[in-house]
Amino acid sequence: MSSTAIVNIATLVTNDPSLGDSPLGPVRDAAVVMDGDRIVWTGETSKAPATDNRVDAEGRAVIPGFVDSHSHLVFAGDRTDEFNARMSGLPYSAGGIRTTVAATRAASDAELEANLTRLLTEALRQGTTTLETKSGYGLTAEDEARALRLAARHTDEVTYLGAHVVAPEYADDPAGYVALVTGAMLDACAPHARWIDVFCEEGAFDGDQARAVLTAGRAKGLHPRVHANQLSHGPGVRLAVELDAASADHCTHLTDTDVDALANSRTVATLLPGAEFSTRAEWPDTRRLLDAGVTVALSTDCNPGSSFTSSVPFCIALAVRDMGMTPDEALWSATAGGAAALRRTDIGRLTPGARADLVLLDAPSHVHLAYRPGVPLVGGVWRRGVRVL
């Protein structure tokens, strides 16, 4: 292992508020030192220690690698026709997932893994250094387990989502499908996952079904996450808080009780602006959440139906433009917020002891991520201390 210093950084975002004048902990005219896979020093360039290697940032910004805590990358096919119809006036519903289920079941392991690695590479090029992904497009014990096995080859953050929608074979027997998800399917999938998730929504699973799924997963050592309150008001957020879920994801339709519950819990509200963009749905009221003291994460929800983007910078621009977040809040939520949604303290920040995951921007400030939407601003990526872009 060798040490590397990146010097002459216009603004280094550390996400350590003790180091700067905001929660981002910005350091001006800065340097960051990596030794092996860890950050070992941050400070002003003039005070940087000697290292084996030196990279000149030439007045550009460095930020933590993005932490994308919600995606669905193990699938086959696409849903272009559905998207085209939706943009032509048809509403979005949960039913389109079944189209992807059919294509995913028919695909080989090699085809699924090739698509997975393509999307992971695409995300990495845009600065994502940690990515959670889910099953949910197999809906049989065998297909869900293989999706998780494939995902676990590429990320530690793997989520069992057998309860995405009711499998077509069980359309007339949803109770039977819940029994499968909490029984034989869970037994096959639990060894390959860290998390368990459920789509708690009309057209998917109600509150009682969702509780049964999540409590069964907890008994197998999986920690809960919840697709909550995306399409309508419902019990998802309150259930997430009740079960100490790491995150309640979407959070578009919230009551005051929901907001209060989140604010007084460890559960992170993960917002997914790509979904609102791609479905022309109502934007979450992010100011309401932030002003109440809720911890917020921003993620892509990359999936073939309702949010086919792997770009965290795009989601940051949407959050600033259409969800009322400041550029500082959006960046924090896409880095430290995502880490909180994964219950991780070793990522999402650039302070001594953290994992050396960082992004060099072709811009002097992180504000350019929203200021110059759609422009490829990622000029370099280090993951675990190794430059990968």
Side-chain angles (χ1 to χ4, degrees):
M1 293 189 296
S2 61
S3 58
T4 299
I6 304 176
V7 300
N8 297 323
I9 301 167
T11 306
L12 172 67
V13 173
T14 67
N15 283 339
D16 181 352
S18 71
L19 297 180
D21 53 6
S22 80
L24 295 185
V27 181
R28 316 294 178 188
D29 188 18
V32 59
V33 176
M34 300 171 276
D35 194 348
D37 67 350
R38 297 285 151 175
I39 302 294
V40 295
W41 186 90
T42 60
E44 297 176 6
T45 288
S46 62
K47 300 176 182 176
T51 55
D52 300 315
N53 305 293
R54 200 170 178 92
V55 176
D56 191 343
E58 299 177 331
R60 292 175 287 176
V62 169
I63 63 174
F66 298 125
V67 180
D68 190 346
S69 60
H70 183 127
S71 77
H72 306 249
L73 301 188
V74 186
F75 67 88
D78 75 14
R79 281 149 64 184
T80 305
D81 291 343
E82 176 190 321
F83 177 81
N84 189 37
R86 192 163 61 243
M87 293 300 104
S88 302
L90 296 181
Y92 172 69
S93 70
I97 293 167
R98 294 180 181 89
T99 303
T100 303
V101 169
T104 302
R105 289 178 176 180
S108 68
D109 286 11
E111 289 169 331
L112 291 177
E113 189 162 24
N115 191 51
L116 169 65
T117 55
R118 176 181 66 84
L119 291 169
L120 288 169
T121 300
E122 187 178 276
L124 182 65
R125 287 200 304 265
Q126 297 171 92
T128 297
T129 52
T130 300
L131 190 144
E132 177 270 1
T133 199
K134 310 174 193 295
S135 65
Y137 292 125
L139 308 188
T140 67
E142 179 181 356
D143 284 306
E144 288 292 292
R146 76 164 175 155
L148 296 171
R149 283 197 304 270
L150 293 172
R153 295 176 186 175
H154 301 277
T155 179
D156 296 331
E157 302 297 345
V158 179
T159 301
Y160 166 46
L161 183 60
H164 202 179
V165 293
V166 174
E169 297 85 355
Y170 288 83
D172 297 324
D173 184 19
Y177 185 66
V178 172
L180 175 64
V181 168
T182 58
M185 187 186 290
L186 175 60
D187 291 341
C189 291
H192 309 292
R194 180 184 179 201
W195 307 97
I196 186 166
D197 199 345
V198 60
F199 190 6
C200 185
E201 187 65 64
E202 184 177 350
F205 298 90
D206 64 24
D208 291 339
Q209 293 168 328
R211 179 180 283 103
V213 168
L214 296 174
T215 54
R218 278 206 312 191
K220 285 285 189 178
L222 304 181
H223 201 85
R225 322 181 69 77
V226 184
H227 281 61
N229 301 55
Q230 176 185 6
L231 305 178
S232 61
H233 291 95
V237 164
R238 294 189 299 279
L239 180 62
V241 171
E242 174 193 329
L243 297 179
D244 187 36
S247 66
D249 298 26
H250 289 289
C251 294
T252 305
H253 300 276
L254 302 179
T255 65
D256 290 344
T257 300
D258 294 328
V259 175
D260 289 344
L262 287 167
N264 291 287
S265 75
R266 297 198 302 162
T267 300
V268 174
T270 299
L271 306 184
L272 308 165
E276 279 72 41
F277 176 87
S278 297
T279 62
R280 287 182 173 157
E282 177 183 341
W283 298 101
D285 189 346
T286 314
R287 284 260 59 87
R288 181 185 182 197
L289 290 166
L290 292 170
D291 291 348
V294 176
T295 301
V296 170
L298 274 182
S299 295
T300 64
D301 191 19
C302 185
N303 75 82
S306 60
S307 183
F308 202 10
T309 180
S310 60
S311 175
V312 173
F314 173 65
C315 291
I316 287 173
L318 289 179
V320 172
R321 169 60 178 82
D322 292 306
M323 289 164 51
M325 299 184 83
T326 68
D328 283 15
E329 290 168 340
L331 178 62
W332 190 95
S333 295
T335 52
L342 295 174
R343 299 256 166 108
R344 297 276 295 272
T345 59
D346 61 327
I347 56 176
R349 60 188 179 92
L350 297 179
T351 55
R355 207 168 78 176
D357 294 349
L358 51 86
V359 174
L360 175 65
L361 297 178
D362 285 330
S365 165
H366 66 279
V367 177
H368 282 236
L369 292 166
Y371 179 45
R372 305 197 67 211
V375 176
L377 294 178
V378 174
V381 178
W382 283 257
R383 186 168 59 187
R384 299 179 186 267
V386 176
R387 188 164 190 172
V388 293
L389 180 70

